[in-house]
Structures are given as C-alpha cells and as structure tokens.
Amino acid sequence: MTLSSLIEAVPPPPDSSAGESLVGLGRLALAVRLAALGVPERQLRMRVSQLWSWLYVRGATDFAAMTDVAKELRAELAANFTLARLAIVTEQISVDGTRKWLLRLDDGKEIETVYIPEEDRGTLCVSSQIGCTLTCTFCHTGTQRLVRNLTSGEIVGQILLARDRIGDWPGATPPDPRGLPSAERKITNVVLMGMGEPLYNFDNVRDACAVAADGEGLSISKRRITLSTSGVVPEIPRWGAEAGTMLAISLHAVRDELRDQLVPINKKWPIHQLLDACRAYPGLSNAKRITFEYVMLKGVNDSVADAKALVRLLAKIPAKINLIPFNPWPGAPYECSDWEQIEKFAEVVNRAGYASPVRSPRGRDIMAACGQLKSASIKQRAGARLAAPA
Ligand code: SAH
Ligand code: SF4
C-alpha cells in the first residue's frame, strides 16, 4: 500500500482550526495532517520524521524550535495545530518519590498517571480507560463505571507529560528533582496498569505502544512495556501478534470458585483457558516471562496451601510471580494480609525458584498505589463540595 492510499483510507482529521494537539499521534496520523496542510506526497516521509524527532526525541513544546523545518511550514503548523500537553489538575509527590498526576482531557474527563522512581530506573504506570467495565471486587477503579476509552494520543500524552515534569528530555532539568533516579533516562519502563482494562481498548493501546516503542522516537522497547490484563482471553494471542509487549496477568486466585468472586471476568474465561492462552503467548521463554500478579487479601487467598497451589499451577510456564500487598481504599471489603503471612506465602513461592516476589507498595500516602486510582479525584471533589459554602 502506498502512503497516499493509506492516507485516503484514514478518516480526515478533526477540524484543524480547532488547534488540535499533535502530541501522541502516530506517523500515519501525522502524515494525514501534513497532507491536509498541502505538504506534497514526496516530502511527507521526510517531514513526518522531522516532526517525529521534535515531538518524541526532544519533547518540543513550540513549533518555532523546529529549526530544520521550513519556516512557512512551521507557521502553517502553528496556525493549525498545537503541541499542548494534557492539562495537570494536581501533581502529588509521595514521601518515597512516587508521583501522581491527575490530568484533564479535552472533554473535561480526568485520568491518573503514576511515576515510580527507583535507584537506576523509573516506571510509568499509564491509564488506558476512564473507569473500567469490569468489577474486580478489590479494585477501586472497578467501582467506577466505564466512562470511555482513551485515544492513543491520550495514552502517549501521559508519557510526554511525565517526561516534561521529571525533566526527562535531552538537556532538560526537572522542576522538582526529589527522588528521581540517577540514570540518564528517568522513564525506562512503561506499565499499562493504571485505570482500565487495556485489552478492552485494544487498537488505541496497540497504536500507543507502537509510538512509545519506536526506535527513532521515545524508544521504550517492547521488552520494557508491560500490559496487564485481568484475563480477556481471546485478545491475548492477538495482542502477542500485533503488539508483542511483555504480559502481566492479574491472577489473584488459584481456584475458579474464588477467582469468580475476585475477578468476575473469570466466569467467562476460567483459569485453565487463561493459562492456555499464556502458554501460547508468542515469544514466551525464560528470557521473556509472563508476570502473574497476586494481590494479598487477608484470610481470602493468602494461605500456605494457596501458595503451594499457585506454584503448581504455574509450574510449566516461564513466569514471574508478583505478590501485591492489598492497597486499601475507603469502603473496601478486604484487608491486606498480615506481613507475617505475606512472608510465609512468599517463602513457598521463593523456594519454588521465583526471585523477590513481593512488590513493595509505593505512593500509598498519595493514593497512587495499585488499585487506588480514582480515589483522590473523587475524594477531592467530595472534599471541595463539603468545603464549598452552601
Ligand atoms: N485492568 C488491568 C490493569 C490495571 S490494574 C488488570 O486488572 O490487570 C493493575 C494491577 O493492580 C492489577 O493486577 C490489579 O489486579 C491490581 N490491583 C487492583 N486493585 C488493587 C488493590 N486495591 N491493591 C493492590 N492491587 C490492586
Ligand atoms: Fe478493571 Fe483491572 Fe480494576 Fe479489574 S483490577 S476492575 S480489570 S482496572
């Protein structure tokens, strides 16, 4: 297919006079917009790669900075588009350096993005949907109805926004350097573990991952991008074929009867079907293992017998096990397992050959830990309502 026939196959961009932001768009989407400005087809590839580099290697926020782009085109771009980032409603920095942003989208809806720094690396946890259609009983996002899918631009936009705020562009200095890694790149990993079920927003998440992994742009390799799913079994092989990132599975129980309660999608696709899809995941090997997430719920799924059943269940799958201490939220029907119990459970997992299985909770003080997203915005709003004069 030629570029021009591809462009014809794509619906025209939204009215560009509205000043659409180019942030987060893929190569084809950029080509469509440049063609609409009258850039001749023979120049499109070159112009797209120039823009690409300004957008995703240097993090430009102003068309005027794009010195290798012809002056007239820069003016045309500035007249029709912007490089605007997602709007920050709040930015919070935890005592452990974890950062959480509440971001407002163009239609006024809000999402949360979390950055978790470590000594030599940094992980960005991005959202894929506003809310979630699923209703896992231990997850706060699950108590919120799905509002809508995020566009791929909004997903990539979370990465750009985070890089701005932590000074992760060449030559940039972070506005607030507290707790940032000493490594040259501050965001080394991206996990699709924020709000939403990413496999229910398949196309947009796949396109966003392609932009993030592009070696001439953001260059976060697919090996460093992990998609976490609650178990949308039919989409797992497709994800492997079309995106091929690392995979994490929210397992949380070893028996269907219990998983049906905790992760209700299990009623549709029970554990054996889920594990079959995992075994068939393309590229699965000891170098490319699947991570199994297991939230530790006191008296529910945390017995030593459960731990033994877990290692038996995963015995033939190249796997990592990630035990997540349950992060409480207001009104949650569970408690986190006692630390002693987590240690007993971890010991069984450890003895079976899985290294450092417990994920230390980060950013709990700012409600940024797994499964806590949504709460701050709702609480804040409730707080604001209470504080408002009658
Ligand atoms: N929807 C996807 C990805 C987002 S949730 C999924 O379910 O996999 C990211 C991880 O946080 C999942 O493993 C999820 O089960 C876990 N999680 C949700 N609520 C939690 C909580 N309150 N405490 C700890 N982990 C939680
Ligand atoms: Fe949705 Fe994942 Fe929360 Fe389940 S754990 S409700 S799939 S975000």
Side-chain angles (χ1 to χ4, degrees):
M1 221 181 193
T2 64
L3 191 56
S4 58
S5 57
L6 265 177
I7 286 171
E8 273 161 31
V10 173
D15 177 11
S16 57
S17 62
E20 183 200 11
S21 175
L22 298 182
V23 164
L25 296 187
R27 286 178 192 272
L28 182 59
L30 287 177
V32 170
R33 281 145 183 87
L34 287 175
L37 287 187
V39 173
E41 199 199 328
R42 68 194 143 75
Q43 284 187 17
L44 276 178
R45 254 176 228 287
M46 190 250 304
R47 295 295 181 210
V48 167
S49 42
Q50 285 175 328
L51 262 181
W52 196 258
S53 167
W54 284 107
L55 275 169
Y56 300 126
V57 178
R58 316 228 209 158
T61 51
D62 189 352
F63 291 109
M66 302 182 175
T67 43
D68 58 356
V69 177
K71 229 177 172 173
E72 302 74 53
L73 180 56
R74 267 188 269 160
E76 275 286 290
L77 284 167
N80 291 283
F81 298 104
T82 74
L83 296 170
R85 309 310 212 221
L86 302 174
I88 300 176
V89 181
T90 56
E91 176 179 75
Q92 290 172 280
I93 305 186
S94 155
V95 289
D96 69 17
T98 299
R99 294 169 190 230
K100 182 171 81 169
W101 296 278
L102 176 64
L103 303 173
R104 184 168 300 133
L105 310 172
D106 284 348
D107 62 359
K109 305 277 185 315
E110 290 170 357
I111 53 165
E112 288 173 318
T113 305
V114 176
Y115 174 67
I116 306 138
E118 285 166 81
E119 190 63 45
D120 55 347
R121 57 189 242 152
T123 303
L124 190 71
C125 178
V126 303
S127 293
S128 57
Q129 298 184 309
I130 308 170
C132 188
T133 50
L134 302 176
T135 52
C136 304
T137 43
F138 54 87
C139 172
H140 203 193
T141 308
T143 63
Q144 186 184 3
R145 285 183 24 218
L146 178 74
V147 181
R148 71 168 169 85
N149 282 333
L150 297 185
T151 64
S152 70
E154 288 165 341
I155 297 168
V156 179
Q158 297 172 61
I159 305 179
L160 267 66
L161 184 281
R163 291 191 73 179
D164 288 350
R165 298 304 302 162
I166 59 181
D168 195 21
W169 298 111
T173 38
D176 183 340
R178 274 180 294 166
L180 293 177
S182 48
E184 199 182 320
R185 297 255 330 235
K186 311 287 180 225
I187 297 179
T188 52
N189 295 64
V190 169
V191 293
L192 284 145
M193 295 187 187
M195 298 163 76
E197 168 48 59
L199 290 184
Y200 277 149
N201 184 14
F202 191 103
D203 291 3
N204 293 344
V205 175
R206 177 201 54 211
D207 294 351
C209 288
V211 174
D214 189 292
E216 287 163 22
L218 288 166
S219 286
I220 301 165
S221 92
K222 288 182 174 182
R223 294 250 159 169
R224 292 180 173 273
I225 300 178
T226 303
L227 174 133
S228 174
T229 178
S230 56
V232 186
V233 167
E235 301 290 21
I236 292 175
R238 213 182 126 214
W239 182 261
E242 294 184 28
T245 66
M246 304 299 279
L247 188 65
I249 302 286
S250 293
L251 189 62
H252 307 317
V254 289
R255 286 171 286 116
D256 280 322
E257 183 209 339
L258 178 60
R259 195 164 189 271
D260 282 352
Q261 286 173 33
L262 300 178
V263 189
I265 200 178
N266 193 68
K267 292 183 204 150
K268 214 165 184 177
W269 294 295
I271 294 173
H272 79 273
Q273 284 187 23
L274 178 58
L275 295 185
D276 281 348
C278 290
R279 283 185 200 96
Y281 193 66
L284 186 62
S285 65
N286 281 337
K288 195 178 172 193
R289 295 166 193 249
I290 293 177
T291 300
F292 288 88
E293 298 162 283
Y294 195 97
V295 64
M296 300 299 298
L297 303 172
K298 186 175 186 167
V300 175
N301 64 354
D302 63 350
S303 71
V304 166
D306 284 324
K308 289 181 176 161
L310 177 64
V311 297
R312 269 199 309 274
L313 197 62
L314 302 182
K316 296 218 170 74
I317 304 176
K320 291 184 218 169
I321 295 178
N322 217 314
L323 304 178
I324 314 174
F326 170 65
N327 290 308
W329 38 273
Y334 301 103
E335 281 177 73
C336 182
S337 307
D338 295 330
W339 194 249
E340 269 169 38
Q341 193 57 29
I342 296 181
E343 280 184 337
K344 277 188 202 154
F345 196 108
E347 201 185 304
V348 175
V349 172
N350 226 303
R351 258 193 271 122
Y354 299 93
S356 54
V358 185
R359 184 190 293 175
S360 58
R362 299 287 305 264
R364 271 187 176 180
D365 54 329
I366 56 168
M367 292 292 276
C370 302
Q372 291 185 313
L373 299 187
K374 153 199 175 176
S375 22
S377 42
I378 301 288
K379 261 196 347 206
Q380 245 164 26
R381 204 104 356 97
R385 264 201 306 276
L386 287 177

